[in-house]
Amino acid sequence: MAKYPRSPLAPERFPALPVIAGARFATVAAGVRYEGREDVMLAALDPGTVVAGVFTRSATRSANVLDCQAKIARHDAAGAAIIVNSGNSNAFTGRAGEGSVAAICDTVAGALDLPASRVFTSSTGVIGERLPHDRITAKVNDLVAGLNEAALEKAAQAIMTTDTFPKGACREVDVSGTKIRIAGIAKGSGMIAPDMATMLVYIFTDAALSQPALQALVNSINARSFNNITVDSDTSTSDTLLMAATGASGVDASDNADFAAALEDVMLDLAHQVVRDGEGATKFVTVSVTGATSDADARTHALSIANSPLIKTALAGEDPNWGRVVMAVGKSGAAANRDTLSIRFGDITVAEKGWVAESYKEAEGAAYMKREEIEIGVDIGLGSGAATVWTCDLTHGYISINADYRS
C-alpha cells in the first residue's frame, strides 16, 4: 500500500477499532492520482449525528476547507456524510475547485438522500492541479453500496499519501453505566506544522453531545494535541479535523470528564503517530519547556527548538549539540535569560546557569542520542509557563521523498 518503507517508529500493528453505532464506511479505487489502490473513502452517518471540526488557517486553504468551514456549525435532524480523496488536494484551483466540491457534495447528497449542506469533503495530495472529480462522482454509487460499519481501517488506508502506515486509535469509557466508544483515523507525514488543525483526522463516537459542546471539546483538546506537533514547520492548505458524534448510545457525554479524557487520549495517540511517520523520521522527539514567563512563551520556545533544521539534523546524526538548543531559545522571540537557562537530554543535565553543567559528560549525551525516543528539556528560569510539543529528526529521507513527490 505505502510507496515508501515503513517508518521505524511505526506501531507494531493497526489497532482493532470498535464498531461505532450510527457510522458506516466504504472505500473505492477511483484513480484520482494513484493506480491500483483505493483512494476515496466515504463515511455515512445516521440522522441525529452532530459534527464539529477545526481547520487550517492558511490564507491559501483549499476549496474543501472553505466549504466545510461554512457548514460546520449548522445542525439539523438529517444524517451526514464525509467523503475524502487522496492524491490531489484541490487547493489553489480557483473556481474549478469550488465546482469540484459542489459536484461531489451534490452527488453524495443525492445517493444518500441528504441535504448537500450535510456533506463534508476533504482532499489531500498535490497542490495546484484540478481535481478530476468526475472520477470520484462516478464511484459514489459503488461507495454507498459498499458501506460497512467495520470498514474504518480500510478508510485509514485510502486517505494515505506519503504515509508509510495507516493511523488509527480508539478508547472505550464508561459514562453513566454505559460503555461509550471513540475511534479515529488520521493521515499525515509531511507538511506538518498545524495552525488550528492538522493533516486529515476523522474521529467518531456513539456518544450524544450538542454541536456547541462537541465543538468546544474539539477546540480545547486540539490545542493540546494536534496543534503541538511539527514535522517540518510547514502548514498545509488542507488541514482538517472532523469529529462526528452519532448519539447512538443515547448517553449524553457533553460534560463528562472521563469522556473528555478518553477523547484526549485518542487525539494525542493520532497526533503522535503522525510525528512517528514524519517523512524520513528515525527519532520521535518530545520537547518540554518549563519556567517561561507564560504558557504562550513556553510554546514559542518549544516550537523554535522543534522546528530548527540545525537541531533536527543533529538529532538525525545522533550529535548531542546542545549549543543549537541555546540558539533556538535565543532566536525564538520569547523572553529568555542566559544565566537562568538550563537544558537536559532526558535525565542528563547538560547546561545550567549560563554554562555547561559541571557534571555533564559528552559521552553520556552521545549515548542518549542513539535512542529512538528522545526528550529535550529546557527550563527558562523566569516563571511558571510550560508547554510540550512533539517532533522528529530531519534526515536525507525527507529530501528524497519530497524531491520526487510529484514524479
Side-chain angles (χ1 to χ4, degrees):
M1 173 65 70
K3 178 179 178 181
Y4 304 101
R6 185 176 174 87
S7 168
L9 306 173
E12 289 186 9
R13 63 183 66 85
F14 192 86
L17 300 181
V19 167
I20 304 296
R24 295 171 296 147
F25 308 92
T27 59
V28 72
V32 174
R33 185 178 189 85
Y34 306 117
E35 296 295 331
R37 57 157 284 190
E38 294 178 332
D39 57 356
V40 179
M41 84 90 164
L42 175 67
L45 306 161
D46 283 358
T49 297
V50 301
V51 181
V54 284
F55 308 91
T56 181
R57 289 189 292 200
S58 167
T60 54
R61 54 195 180 275
S62 72
N64 305 71
V65 170
L66 293 169
D67 184 65
C68 285
Q69 287 179 304
K71 295 173 176 177
I72 199 66
R74 302 175 189 173
H75 178 61
D76 57 37
I82 300 170
I83 184 166
V84 186
N85 74 268
S86 59
N88 182 308
S89 73
N90 195 31
F92 209 71
T93 50
R95 294 200 178 277
E98 297 170 8
S100 292
V101 171
I104 293 168
C105 288
D106 288 345
T107 303
V108 172
L112 290 174
D113 194 23
L114 298 172
S117 62
R118 292 288 283 168
V119 179
F120 301 89
T121 71
S122 299
S123 296
T124 180
V126 174
I127 294 172
E129 296 182 4
R130 288 191 177 187
L131 178 67
H133 64 261
D134 55 318
R135 300 181 189 178
I136 299 172
T137 57
K139 296 288 188 176
V140 167
N141 286 336
D142 292 343
L143 285 164
V144 172
L147 286 167
N148 183 329
E149 62 184 7
L152 190 51
E153 180 176 356
K154 292 186 68 178
Q157 295 169 345
I159 64 176
M160 293 166 57
T161 52
T162 59
D163 304 61
T164 70
F165 62 90
K167 300 164 183 65
C170 58
R171 297 293 186 276
E172 293 185 346
V173 59
D174 186 276
V175 178
S176 301
T178 299
K179 186 169 288 186
I180 299 296
R181 295 173 173 85
I182 307 168
I185 61 173
K187 68 82 50 183
S189 187
M191 200 180 289
I192 303 297
D195 183 12
M196 195 61 174
T198 186
M199 307 82 55
L200 297 183
V201 183
Y202 307 97
I203 302 171
F204 306 90
T205 181
D206 55 6
L209 297 94
S210 68
Q211 201 284 332
L214 183 62
Q215 186 66 59
L217 195 57
V218 168
N219 287 347
S220 174
I221 299 174
N222 176 68
R224 300 189 297 272
S225 57
F226 292 109
N227 255 22
N228 280 347
I229 64 172
T230 179
V231 167
D232 49 21
S233 82
D234 286 331
T235 295
S236 171
T237 58
S238 305
D239 290 345
T240 295
L241 186 159
L242 292 172
M243 181 168 180
T246 68
S249 68
V251 177
D252 187 349
S254 297
D255 298 310
N256 187 274
D258 291 336
F259 176 80
L263 178 58
E264 184 154 358
D265 283 348
V266 168
M267 291 172 69
L268 273 173
D269 191 338
L270 291 172
H272 289 181
Q273 286 186 55
V274 170
V275 173
R276 290 178 181 279
D277 203 14
E279 290 170 340
T282 65
K283 309 284 187 184
F284 177 81
V285 185
T286 301
V287 180
S288 299
V289 174
T290 56
T293 56
S294 66
D295 289 349
D297 265 17
R299 185 171 183 270
T300 296
H301 284 307
L303 286 172
S304 181
I305 295 165
N307 283 326
S308 166
L310 286 173
I311 291 174
K312 292 163 76 70
T313 51
L315 291 165
E318 299 181 341
D319 177 11
N321 194 335
W322 56 270
R324 293 180 178 180
V325 179
V326 174
M327 172 277 299
V329 170
K331 72 160 187 171
S332 76
N337 184 307
R338 178 197 64 189
D339 294 331
T340 62
L341 186 68
S342 63
I343 300 168
R344 61 181 172 81
F345 294 152
D347 294 329
I348 303 168
T349 299
V350 175
E352 58 186 353
K353 300 175 183 178
W355 190 246
V356 62
E358 290 184 8
S359 61
Y360 179 62
K361 296 179 176 59
E362 181 82 0
E364 292 180 354
Y368 181 79
M369 286 295 156
K370 296 186 180 300
R371 300 184 181 191
E372 285 189 346
E373 299 197 11
I374 292 170
E375 181 181 358
I376 298 173
V378 174
D379 191 274
I380 306 299
L382 296 178
S384 59
T388 301
V389 304
W390 297 273
T391 190
C392 57
D393 56 343
L394 180 60
T395 71
H396 196 279
Y398 181 89
I399 299 170
S400 299
I401 290 168
N402 284 283
D404 78 343
Y405 179 56
R406 296 197 304 158
S407 60

CSV table of all heavy atoms in Angstrom, one decimal, residues 144-168:
chain,number,residue,atom,x,y,z
A,144,VAL,N,-21.6,3.8,-1.8
A,144,VAL,CA,-22.8,3.6,-1.0
A,144,VAL,C,-23.2,2.2,-0.9
A,144,VAL,O,-23.6,1.7,0.2
A,144,VAL,CB,-24.0,4.5,-1.6
A,144,VAL,CG1,-25.3,4.2,-0.9
A,144,VAL,CG2,-23.7,6.0,-1.5
A,145,ALA,N,-23.1,1.4,-2.0
A,145,ALA,CA,-23.4,0.0,-1.9
A,145,ALA,C,-22.5,-0.8,-1.0
A,145,ALA,O,-22.8,-1.8,-0.5
A,145,ALA,CB,-23.3,-0.6,-3.3
A,146,GLY,N,-21.2,-0.3,-0.8
A,146,GLY,CA,-20.3,-1.0,0.0
A,146,GLY,C,-20.2,-0.5,1.4
A,146,GLY,O,-19.3,-1.0,2.2
A,147,LEU,N,-21.1,0.3,1.9
A,147,LEU,CA,-21.0,0.8,3.2
A,147,LEU,C,-21.0,-0.3,4.3
A,147,LEU,O,-21.9,-1.2,4.2
A,147,LEU,CB,-22.1,1.9,3.5
A,147,LEU,CG,-21.9,3.2,2.8
A,147,LEU,CD1,-23.2,4.0,2.9
A,147,LEU,CD2,-20.8,4.0,3.5
A,148,ASN,N,-20.1,-0.2,5.2
A,148,ASN,CA,-20.0,-1.3,6.2
A,148,ASN,C,-19.5,-0.7,7.5
A,148,ASN,O,-18.5,0.1,7.5
A,148,ASN,CB,-18.9,-2.3,5.7
A,148,ASN,CG,-18.8,-3.5,6.6
A,148,ASN,OD1,-18.9,-3.4,7.8
A,148,ASN,ND2,-18.4,-4.6,5.9
A,149,GLU,N,-20.1,-1.0,8.6
A,149,GLU,CA,-19.7,-0.4,9.9
A,149,GLU,C,-18.3,-0.9,10.4
A,149,GLU,O,-17.7,-0.2,11.2
A,149,GLU,CB,-20.7,-0.8,11.0
A,149,GLU,CG,-20.9,-2.3,11.3
A,149,GLU,CD,-22.0,-2.6,12.3
A,149,GLU,OE1,-22.7,-1.7,12.6
A,149,GLU,OE2,-22.1,-3.8,12.7
A,150,ALA,N,-17.8,-1.9,9.7
A,150,ALA,CA,-16.5,-2.4,10.2
A,150,ALA,C,-15.3,-2.0,9.2
A,150,ALA,O,-14.2,-2.6,9.3
A,150,ALA,CB,-16.5,-3.9,10.3
A,151,ALA,N,-15.5,-1.0,8.4
A,151,ALA,CA,-14.5,-0.7,7.4
A,151,ALA,C,-13.7,0.5,7.7
A,151,ALA,O,-13.1,1.1,6.8
A,151,ALA,CB,-15.2,-0.5,6.0
A,152,LEU,N,-13.5,0.9,8.9
A,152,LEU,CA,-12.8,2.1,9.3
A,152,LEU,C,-11.3,1.9,9.0
A,152,LEU,O,-10.6,2.9,8.6
A,152,LEU,CB,-13.0,2.5,10.7
A,152,LEU,CG,-12.5,3.9,11.2
A,152,LEU,CD1,-13.0,5.0,10.3
A,152,LEU,CD2,-13.0,4.1,12.6
A,153,GLU,N,-10.7,0.7,9.2
A,153,GLU,CA,-9.3,0.5,8.9
A,153,GLU,C,-9.0,0.7,7.4
A,153,GLU,O,-8.0,1.3,7.0
A,153,GLU,CB,-8.9,-0.9,9.3
A,153,GLU,CG,-7.4,-1.1,9.0
A,153,GLU,CD,-6.9,-2.5,9.5
A,153,GLU,OE1,-7.6,-3.2,10.1
A,153,GLU,OE2,-5.7,-2.8,9.2
A,154,LYS,N,-9.9,0.2,6.5
A,154,LYS,CA,-9.8,0.4,5.1
A,154,LYS,C,-9.8,1.9,4.7
A,154,LYS,O,-9.1,2.4,3.9
A,154,LYS,CB,-10.8,-0.3,4.3
A,154,LYS,CG,-10.7,-1.8,4.4
A,154,LYS,CD,-11.6,-2.6,3.5
A,154,LYS,CE,-11.3,-2.3,2.0
A,154,LYS,NZ,-12.2,-3.0,1.1
A,155,ALA,N,-10.7,2.7,5.5
A,155,ALA,CA,-10.8,4.1,5.3
A,155,ALA,C,-9.4,4.8,5.6
A,155,ALA,O,-9.0,5.7,4.9
A,155,ALA,CB,-11.9,4.7,6.1
A,156,ALA,N,-8.8,4.3,6.7
A,156,ALA,CA,-7.5,4.9,7.1
A,156,ALA,C,-6.4,4.7,6.0
A,156,ALA,O,-5.6,5.5,5.7
A,156,ALA,CB,-7.0,4.3,8.4
A,157,GLN,N,-6.5,3.5,5.3
A,157,GLN,CA,-5.6,3.2,4.2
A,157,GLN,C,-5.8,4.1,3.0
A,157,GLN,O,-4.9,4.5,2.3
A,157,GLN,CB,-5.6,1.8,3.9
A,157,GLN,CG,-5.2,0.8,5.0
A,157,GLN,CD,-5.5,-0.6,4.7
A,157,GLN,OE1,-6.3,-0.9,3.9
A,157,GLN,NE2,-4.9,-1.5,5.5
A,158,ALA,N,-7.1,4.3,2.7
A,158,ALA,CA,-7.5,5.0,1.5
A,158,ALA,C,-7.1,6.5,1.5
A,158,ALA,O,-6.9,7.1,0.4
A,158,ALA,CB,-9.0,4.9,1.2
A,159,ILE,N,-6.9,7.1,2.7
A,159,ILE,CA,-6.6,8.5,2.7
A,159,ILE,C,-5.1,8.8,2.8
A,159,ILE,O,-4.7,10.0,2.9
A,159,ILE,CB,-7.3,9.2,3.9
A,159,ILE,CG1,-6.8,8.7,5.2
A,159,ILE,CG2,-8.8,9.1,3.8
A,159,ILE,CD1,-7.4,9.4,6.4
A,160,MET,N,-4.3,7.8,2.7
A,160,MET,CA,-2.8,8.0,2.8
A,160,MET,C,-2.2,8.6,1.6
A,160,MET,O,-2.7,8.4,0.4
A,160,MET,CB,-2.1,6.6,3.1
A,160,MET,CG,-2.4,6.0,4.4
A,160,MET,SD,-2.0,4.2,4.5
A,160,MET,CE,-0.2,4.3,4.1
A,161,THR,N,-1.2,9.4,1.7
A,161,THR,CA,-0.4,9.9,0.6
A,161,THR,C,1.0,9.4,0.8
A,161,THR,O,1.4,8.3,0.4
A,161,THR,CB,-0.5,11.4,0.5
A,161,THR,OG1,-0.1,12.0,1.7
A,161,THR,CG2,-1.9,11.9,0.1
A,162,THR,N,1.9,10.2,1.4
A,162,THR,CA,3.3,9.7,1.7
A,162,THR,C,3.4,9.0,3.0
A,162,THR,O,4.5,8.6,3.4
A,162,THR,CB,4.3,10.9,1.7
A,162,THR,OG1,3.9,11.8,2.7
A,162,THR,CG2,4.4,11.6,0.3
A,163,ASP,N,2.3,8.8,3.6
A,163,ASP,CA,2.3,8.0,4.9
A,163,ASP,C,2.9,6.6,4.6
A,163,ASP,O,2.6,6.0,3.5
A,163,ASP,CB,0.8,7.8,5.4
A,163,ASP,CG,0.1,9.1,5.6
A,163,ASP,OD1,-0.1,9.8,4.6
A,163,ASP,OD2,-0.3,9.3,6.7
A,164,THR,N,3.6,6.0,5.6
A,164,THR,CA,4.1,4.7,5.4
A,164,THR,C,3.3,3.7,6.2
A,164,THR,O,3.5,2.5,6.1
A,164,THR,CB,5.6,4.6,5.9
A,164,THR,OG1,5.6,4.8,7.3
A,164,THR,CG2,6.4,5.7,5.2
A,165,PHE,N,2.3,4.1,7.0
A,165,PHE,CA,1.4,3.2,7.7
A,165,PHE,C,0.1,3.9,8.0
A,165,PHE,O,0.1,5.1,8.1
A,165,PHE,CB,2.0,2.7,9.0
A,165,PHE,CG,2.3,3.7,10.0
A,165,PHE,CD1,1.4,4.1,11.0
A,165,PHE,CD2,3.6,4.3,10.1
A,165,PHE,CE1,1.6,5.0,12.0
A,165,PHE,CE2,3.8,5.3,11.1
A,165,PHE,CZ,2.9,5.6,12.0
A,166,PRO,N,-1.0,3.2,8.0
A,166,PRO,CA,-2.3,3.8,8.3
A,166,PRO,C,-2.4,4.1,9.8
A,166,PRO,O,-1.8,3.4,10.6
A,166,PRO,CB,-3.3,2.7,7.9
A,166,PRO,CG,-2.6,1.4,8.0
A,166,PRO,CD,-1.2,1.8,7.6
A,167,LYS,N,-3.1,5.1,10.2
A,167,LYS,CA,-3.1,5.6,11.6
A,167,LYS,C,-4.5,5.5,12.2
A,167,LYS,O,-5.5,6.0,11.6
A,167,LYS,CB,-2.6,7.0,11.6
A,167,LYS,CG,-1.2,7.1,11.1
A,167,LYS,CD,-0.8,8.6,10.8
A,167,LYS,CE,0.6,8.6,10.2
A,167,LYS,NZ,0.7,7.9,8.9
A,168,GLY,N,-4.6,4.8,13.3
A,168,GLY,CA,-5.9,4.6,14.0
A,168,GLY,C,-5.7,4.6,15.5
A,168,GLY,O,-4.6,4.2,16.0
